């Protein structure tokens, strides 16, 4: 009996199964061009080049180590421009696209320079708003150093009063870059010049009146707004004081039940203010309507005491919070009631450690924070490194870790300069400067020439 012609679909399936089995079997030689031409058309349709699985991205060398974690696939800039032509909003997408090359450059970041100018630990750090290579750093002894890391001898050192004069926070004046607003442990909020003179004491915390205690109330945080011509400070009693830059008090309220660890104006919305406290809450305020302590716009409850609450510098639409244990949160202005991302991260607090605070990159939605490995933290590994961790603020995922064997301590403070290409860190008594490998080589060559 003559064979029955099978439908085309069944022939197609059989050809596919036959080719799959041949592909699975190993040790077969590759067919040449003539043999491939003689193969049935159905077989030729299913010849595919199998790509190799992607490898993990990593880099090490030159005394420092950087781990780049797997990044999600992102479209090219052409895709975003096409979306713009169609009428879509591409600001966030475009920023995400431009962020990718910077993430790849982080793989070449090295420790460039270090300094140990203090006899007590570093407590605060702030970049100069005009000179991108100059950073101001304060200590627990009240000392301040203004350090240009690109010049060997260009430093300005302001001697503090020693024990009890701990600097809690510093901010450069937006009107005179040679002056600093200082929140000090001596109970004052003052404006100082770079020679250490208190040009103006704009606020003094009230004395508790106890005869055995010299200072019972002090300022813990400060920020200044150029658009509002206003200064805000938070003290250890939960008070938030709002003043004009000339020192006139606008309002003073007990906004929290405990110490206010961080205050910050929103740079994109002049009337918006965030305050963080060890009473396990962050509050967002409208400066146009400060009637009483319950008149906040939003309260963001947390499970632990707070170290910081920072608005995103790119658009001011996100808020980054750091607790005193194991959580970094990112909130979005679209819905302040719940966090957009909750990032588990070990950075536990203890008395003799400068509080770890996560900060934003000035140009991209990236978050940087020092890691303090905790044996009780899920996923802890023996001999885990004390790295600087970088997270994507849009996805909440870790994208990079920086580490150098010459800087093995707990790195509490981390801030990128206004240009976003250099990172300054505070580690115990030390100041660390990180930069790209090619820039490090050029700068070191320049410094060697200056020495000789």
């Amino acid at each position: 009996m003559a064979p029955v012609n099978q439908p085309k679909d069944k022939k197609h399936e059989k050809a596919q199964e036959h080719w799959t089995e041949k592909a699975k079997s190993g040790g077969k030689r590759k067919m040449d061009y003539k043999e491939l031409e003689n193969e049935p058309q159905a077989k030729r349709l299913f010849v595919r080049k199998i790509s190799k699985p992607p490898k993990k991205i990593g880099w090490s060398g030159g005394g420092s180590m950087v781990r780049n974690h797997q990044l999600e696939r992102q479209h090219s800039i052409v895709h975003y421009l096409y979306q713009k032509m169609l009428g879509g909003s591409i600001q966030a997408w475009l920023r995400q696209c431009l962020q990718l090359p910077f993430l790849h450059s982080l793989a070449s970041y090295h420790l460039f320079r270090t300094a140990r100018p203090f006899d007590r630990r570093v407590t605060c750090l702030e970049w100069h708003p005009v000179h991108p290579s100059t950073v101001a750093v304060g200590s627990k002894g009240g000392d301040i150093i203004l350090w240009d890391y690109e010049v060997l001898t260009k430093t300005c050192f302001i001697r503090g009063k020693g024990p009890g004069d701990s600097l809690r926070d510093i901010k450069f004046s937006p009107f005179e870059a040679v002056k600093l607003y200082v929140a000090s442990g001596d109970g004052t909020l003052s404006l100082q010049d770079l020679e250490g003179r208190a040009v103006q004491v704009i606020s003094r915390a009230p004395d508790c009146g106890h005869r055995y205690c010299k200072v019972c109330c002090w300022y813990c945080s400060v920020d200044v707004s150029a658009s509002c011509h206003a200064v805000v400070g938070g003290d250890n009693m939960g008070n938030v004081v709002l003043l004009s830059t000339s020192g006139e008090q606008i309002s003073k309220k007990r906004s929290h039940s405990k110490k206010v660890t961080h205050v910050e104006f929103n740079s994109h919305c002049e009337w918006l203010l965030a305050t963080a406290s060890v009473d396990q809450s962050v509050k967002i305020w409208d400066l146009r309507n400060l009637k009483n302590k319950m008149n906040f716009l939003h309260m963001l409850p947390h499970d632990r005491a707070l170290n910081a609450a920072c608005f995103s510098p790119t658009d001011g639409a996100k808020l980054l919070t750091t607790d005193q244990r194991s959580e970094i949160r990112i909130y979005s202005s679209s819905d302040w009631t719940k966090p957009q991302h909750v990032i588990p991260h070990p950075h536990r607090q203890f008395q003799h450690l400068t509080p770890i605070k996560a900060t934003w990159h000035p140009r991209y939605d990236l978050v940087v924070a020092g890691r303090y490995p905790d044996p009780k933290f899920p996923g802890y590994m023996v001999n885990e490194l004390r790295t600087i961790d970088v997270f994507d603020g849009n996805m909440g995922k870790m994208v990079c870790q920086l580490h150098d064997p010459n800087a093995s301590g707990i790195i509490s403070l981390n801030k990128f300069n206004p240009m976003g290409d250099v990172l300054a860190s505070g580690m115990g008594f030390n100041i660390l400067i990180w930069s790209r490998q090619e820039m490090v080589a050029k700068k070191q060559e320049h410094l060697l020439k200056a020495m000789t």
Side-chain angles (χ1 to χ4, degrees):
M1 185 173 64
V4 180
N5 291 333
Q6 294 180 352
K8 289 185 178 180
D9 290 342
K10 289 187 177 179
K11 285 184 179 180
H12 190 80
E13 289 175 5
K14 281 192 173 185
Q16 184 177 2
E17 289 173 5
H18 174 70
W19 181 256
T20 306
E21 287 184 6
K22 287 191 75 176
K24 286 182 180 177
S25 62
K28 300 289 183 181
R29 68 181 184 86
K30 193 173 181 181
M31 291 185 293
D32 60 21
Y33 178 77
K34 289 184 178 179
E35 288 174 327
L36 191 59
E37 282 294 320
N38 294 328
E39 286 292 303
Q41 180 71 15
K43 287 186 180 180
R44 289 206 303 266
L45 287 174
F46 285 91
V47 176
R48 292 181 182 175
K49 186 176 180 181
I50 302 172
S51 59
K52 294 181 180 179
K55 297 181 179 178
K56 290 185 179 179
I57 303 171
W59 181 91
S60 64
S64 62
M65 179 276 290
V66 180
R67 281 197 304 227
N68 263 4
H69 293 253
Q70 197 70 20
L71 301 176
E72 291 189 0
R73 184 181 177 184
Q74 299 184 20
H75 296 289
S76 69
I77 193 170
V78 177
H79 169 80
Y80 297 120
L81 292 175
Y82 177 68
Q83 291 294 326
K84 181 66 175 178
M85 288 172 61
L86 297 178
S89 176
I90 67 164
Q91 184 176 1
W93 292 349
L94 187 59
R95 191 164 59 242
Q96 189 77 1
C97 183
L98 297 173
Q99 177 178 298
L100 193 59
F102 175 75
L103 284 177
H104 290 314
S105 75
L106 278 177
S108 66
Y109 267 60
H110 279 234
L111 195 58
F112 169 48
R113 285 196 70 184
T114 63
R116 185 171 173 150
F118 306 127
D119 57 0
R120 285 175 173 80
R121 59 183 165 86
V122 172
T123 54
C124 50
L125 181 151
E126 188 70 17
W127 283 98
H128 197 285
V130 179
H131 303 289
S133 63
T134 301
V135 62
V137 185
S139 80
K140 190 169 175 59
D143 304 327
I144 301 175
I145 187 171
L146 195 69
W147 182 34
D148 187 341
Y149 65 84
E150 288 190 337
V151 183
L152 284 175
T153 57
K154 193 175 181 180
T155 57
C156 173
F157 191 86
I158 303 169
R159 181 70 62 183
K161 299 175 183 176
D165 191 28
S166 175
L167 294 185
R168 309 290 175 165
D169 203 2
I170 54 176
K171 289 290 186 300
F172 278 96
S173 169
F175 311 108
E176 298 175 275
V178 294
K179 294 180 181 178
L180 284 165
Y181 286 96
V182 178
S184 178
D186 64 359
T188 62
L189 191 62
S190 61
L191 180 64
Q192 296 186 7
D193 62 17
L194 297 183
E195 294 181 2
R197 293 189 297 265
V199 178
Q200 183 183 9
V201 177
I202 59 175
S203 182
R204 186 178 294 277
D207 191 353
C208 65
H210 199 285
R211 60 177 179 171
Y212 296 112
C213 191
K214 293 181 180 179
V215 179
C216 292
C217 188
W218 58 87
Y219 283 101
C220 307
S221 49
V222 64
D223 197 20
V224 57
S225 170
S227 57
C228 293
H229 285 74
V231 180
V232 64
D235 66 22
N236 66 319
M237 302 301 290
N239 298 304
V240 175
V241 58
L242 184 66
L243 311 111
S244 67
T245 49
S246 60
E248 298 173 0
Q249 185 171 300
I250 300 170
S251 72
K252 182 176 182 179
K253 293 179 178 63
R254 195 162 190 262
S255 305
H256 292 270
S257 59
K258 295 181 180 178
K259 183 199 300 183
V260 180
T261 53
H262 194 95
V263 291
E264 183 167 312
F265 291 105
N266 190 316
S267 59
H268 293 264
C269 184
E270 61 183 18
W271 47 264
L272 212 57
L273 172 72
T275 60
S277 171
V278 296
D279 68 1
Q280 302 182 13
S281 72
V282 172
K283 293 181 181 179
I284 301 175
W285 307 83
D286 185 345
L287 297 178
R288 302 168 300 181
N289 189 21
L290 293 174
K291 293 180 180 178
N292 54 61
K293 64 179 182 181
M294 298 302 294
N295 207 38
F296 49 80
L297 291 176
H298 301 279
M299 185 176 75
L300 316 179
H302 288 66
D303 300 326
R304 300 276 181 174
L306 275 300
N307 281 339
C310 310
F311 287 108
S312 55
T314 53
D315 56 8
K318 289 185 173 66
L319 186 70
L320 172 69
T321 68
T322 315
D323 74 357
Q324 292 188 355
R325 186 68 182 184
S326 58
E327 218 174 60
I328 295 172
R329 295 187 185 185
I330 299 174
Y331 290 83
S332 174
S333 60
S334 58
D335 185 3
W336 292 117
T337 59
K338 57 184 179 182
Q340 190 178 35
H341 299 292
V342 178
I343 304 171
H345 184 259
H347 49 258
R348 68 186 190 274
Q349 178 80 8
F350 75 93
Q351 184 180 0
H352 303 291
L353 174 71
T354 297
I356 293 175
K357 298 182 179 183
T359 58
W360 291 100
H361 189 277
R363 296 178 180 269
Y364 307 113
D365 287 336
L366 296 173
V367 174
V368 57
R371 172 179 288 261
Y372 180 14
D374 186 354
K376 297 180 180 179
F377 186 78
Y380 171 79
M381 295 182 294
V382 180
N383 299 323
E384 187 174 336
L385 297 174
R386 296 168 174 177
T387 56
I388 299 172
D389 300 340
V390 183
F391 298 89
D392 188 314
N394 295 309
M395 298 184 294
K397 295 181 179 180
M398 186 187 294
V399 291
C400 184
Q401 288 182 300
L402 298 177
H403 178 263
D404 191 286
N406 297 314
S408 57
I410 301 167
I411 304 175
S412 299
L413 304 176
N414 296 280
K415 279 188 180 180
F416 278 95
N417 69 347
M419 299 293 292
D421 60 345
V422 177
L423 177 67
S425 303
M427 182 189 71
F429 293 56
N430 302 277
I431 310 168
L432 315 176
I433 302 294
W434 305 77
S435 186
R436 293 195 304 272
Q437 183 179 10
E438 60 272 18
M439 297 303 297
V440 168
K442 291 178 182 178
K443 290 174 182 176
Q444 285 179 341
E445 184 181 355
H446 176 73
L447 289 175
L448 285 171
K449 287 181 179 178
M451 290 173 66
T452 54

